């Protein structure tokens, strides 16, 4: 199919490993029907070696392995009108020089939120049945407990730390169940919580009264290490902590001590800090810690959604319609 003779000039720059998942052939073809490709896809390293390729680029597509949008890169891109990021976070690639150019940047966080919320929902429901704890006890005792006492999915409490894209999506999934959903988010407007069907509470109440607590907060200086010994020790017998957000939200040495002392608790950690943990980390040895290698985020074909989102945004850009997933510069610093 011939490329369009009009429309913006586009370039794709991201790592090779996940490129075919994020930008499958149908997405690349869709972009090609709207925009003219400046050249073949590049990696960040290839772009660094030949930044002049940006001179005629109007729209930069990227994803994992994105180039940093600093003054040096921008000096080679005088025509740049939009950056479309088929990944969740843009914090690591944006700079003050980029924001000063007033160039819209799109994040595919909403698309990446879908599998994270699905993974979280699955673990929440398992946590309400205390599946992990009881399976440990069954394995240890080689017998089945009689009439095990678990919260279950009726009138139990689930706590969400954070009401961003993912937290709100998890809340919408939980609305189908007979559970009470509490949330802690100091920057979430009251109407966001109301629309999500959750009750805002302080973090102490969240941990002390919820049978499952799922973390969905961004990693900021004020949230780093927030989940420590005091909050974990306050959790109810048999409670479950789920982290699909950022590993550094949890004070892992303190958490390991509490989990060692409280074998009734379960921690499902899909993210750690560092990731993976060091080989001598106690997290590997604690039987009540479930470690998964970032399975909550988009993997394999799930990543197609991210590419489709930025393709849809390109269509809006060309039609001069409002972008649906552009990052508000005023809120950029508080995002994950």
């Amino acid at each position: 199919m011939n490329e369009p003779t009009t429309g913006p000039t586009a370039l794709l720059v991201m790592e090779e490993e996940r490129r075919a998942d994020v930008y499958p052939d149908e997405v690349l073809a869709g972009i090609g029907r709207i925009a003219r490709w400046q050249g073949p896809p590049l990696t960040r390293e290839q772009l660094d070696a030949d930044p002049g390729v940006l001179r005629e680029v109007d729209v930069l597509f990227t994803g994992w392995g994105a180039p940093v949008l600093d003054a040096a890169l921008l000096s080679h891109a005088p025509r740049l009108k939009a950056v479309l990021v088929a990944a969740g976070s843009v914090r690591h690639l944006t700079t003050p020089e980029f924001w000063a150019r007033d160039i819209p940047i799109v994040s595919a966080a909403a698309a990446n939120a879908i599998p994270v919320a699905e993974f979280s929902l699955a673990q929440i429901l398992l946590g309400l049945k205390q599946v992990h704890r009881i399976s440990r006890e069954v394995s240890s005792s080689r017998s089945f407990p009689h009439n095990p006492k678990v919260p279950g999915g009726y009138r139990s409490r689930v706590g969400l730390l954070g009401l961003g894209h993912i937290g709100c999506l998890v809340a919408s999934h939980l609305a189908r169940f007979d559970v009470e959903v509490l949330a802690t988010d100091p920057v979430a407007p009251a109407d966001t919580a109301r629309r999500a069907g959750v009750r805002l509470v302080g973090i102490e109440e969240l941990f002390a009264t919820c049978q499952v607590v799922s973390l969905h907060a961004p990693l900021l200086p004020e949230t780093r290490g927030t989940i420590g010994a005091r909050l974990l020790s306050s959790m109810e017998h048999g409670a479950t902590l789920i982290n699909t957000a950022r590993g550094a939200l949890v004070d892992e040495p303190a958490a390991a001590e509490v989990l060692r002392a409280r074998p009734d608790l379960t921690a499902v950690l899909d993210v750690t800090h560092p990731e993976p943990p060091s080989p001598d980390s106690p997290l590997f040895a604690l039987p009540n810690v479930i470690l998964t290698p970032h399975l909550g985020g988009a993997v394999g074909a799930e990543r197609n959604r991210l590419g489709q989102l930025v393709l849809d945004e390109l269509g809006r850009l060309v039609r001069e319609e409002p972008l649906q997933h552009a990052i508000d510069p005023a809120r950029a610093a508080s995002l994950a």
Side-chain angles (χ1 to χ4, degrees):
M1 183 178 294
N2 294 329
E3 289 192 352
T5 57
T6 61
T9 301
L11 181 67
L12 171 57
V13 181
M14 70 170 290
E15 66 175 42
E16 287 187 54
E17 183 179 6
R18 289 175 278 194
R19 192 167 65 205
D21 285 342
V22 177
Y23 291 94
D25 289 343
E26 60 267 28
V27 168
L28 293 176
I31 295 171
R33 286 190 289 269
I34 301 172
R36 291 172 288 116
W37 287 112
Q38 170 68 8
L42 302 176
T43 64
R44 181 170 55 197
E45 294 74 20
Q46 290 169 328
L47 180 64
D48 288 342
D50 183 20
V53 73
L54 290 167
R55 191 168 296 112
E56 304 298 321
V57 171
D58 300 305
V59 181
L60 177 64
F61 286 88
T62 187
W64 283 281
V68 176
L69 303 169
D70 56 15
L73 180 145
L74 294 169
S75 69
H76 294 284
R79 287 176 40 172
L80 190 62
K81 296 182 177 65
V83 179
L84 307 183
V85 184
S89 176
V90 303
R91 289 181 64 195
H92 62 290
L93 64 149
T94 53
T95 64
E97 293 82 8
F98 171 78
W99 294 118
R101 282 274 299 267
D102 199 26
I103 298 170
I105 184 168
V106 162
S107 163
N112 194 53
I114 295 171
V116 181
E118 291 170 347
F119 181 91
S120 300
L121 174 65
Q123 294 298 334
I124 288 168
L125 296 177
L126 290 174
L128 291 174
K129 286 286 192 177
Q130 297 190 5
V131 167
H132 296 306
R133 176 183 69 83
I134 291 175
S135 66
R136 292 193 301 270
E137 294 175 358
V138 166
S139 178
S140 175
S141 67
R142 300 195 177 191
S143 64
F144 283 6
H146 173 70
N147 192 25
K149 304 299 182 184
V150 299
Y154 184 66
R155 294 186 177 179
S156 47
R157 278 186 172 179
V158 175
L160 306 177
L161 182 65
L163 279 179
H165 281 300
I166 299 171
C168 285
L169 190 52
V170 173
S172 72
H173 289 327
L174 289 170
R176 295 176 287 158
F177 301 91
D178 290 322
V179 296
E180 181 183 9
V181 184
L182 276 56
T184 298
D185 190 327
V187 300
D191 63 329
T192 296
R194 178 180 51 78
R195 289 195 303 269
V198 306
R199 180 164 64 89
L200 289 173
V201 298
I203 194 169
E204 291 81 9
E205 181 177 350
L206 192 82
F207 274 79
T209 68
C210 292
Q211 287 82 31
V212 178
V213 175
S214 189
L215 308 185
H216 305 289
L219 179 60
L220 306 170
E222 57 269 29
T223 61
R224 183 177 293 272
T226 298
I227 315 307
R230 180 177 57 86
L231 291 174
L232 292 173
S233 296
S234 74
M235 297 184 81
E236 295 186 1
H237 180 86
T240 299
L241 173 74
I242 302 164
N243 190 8
T244 57
R246 292 289 185 266
L249 292 173
V250 178
D251 179 345
E252 289 180 355
E257 289 302 312
V258 173
L259 291 164
R260 185 176 290 109
R262 292 278 307 274
D264 61 289
L265 298 179
T266 298
V268 179
L269 305 180
D270 192 48
V271 290
T272 59
H273 183 74
E275 192 171 299
S278 61
D280 61 349
S281 170
L283 298 178
F284 285 118
L286 287 166
N288 52 344
V289 173
I290 310 299
L291 290 174
T292 53
H294 223 126
L295 292 178
V299 297
E302 292 174 332
R303 296 174 182 146
N304 293 183
R305 288 191 183 107
L306 284 70
Q308 186 61 53
L309 182 147
V310 296
L311 169 57
D312 293 344
E313 289 286 70
L314 174 65
R316 296 184 188 98
L317 183 73
V318 170
R319 295 190 299 269
E320 299 184 348
E321 297 173 359
L323 298 173
Q324 293 185 3
H325 301 281
I327 300 296
D328 179 357
R331 295 188 61 242
S334 66
L335 298 176

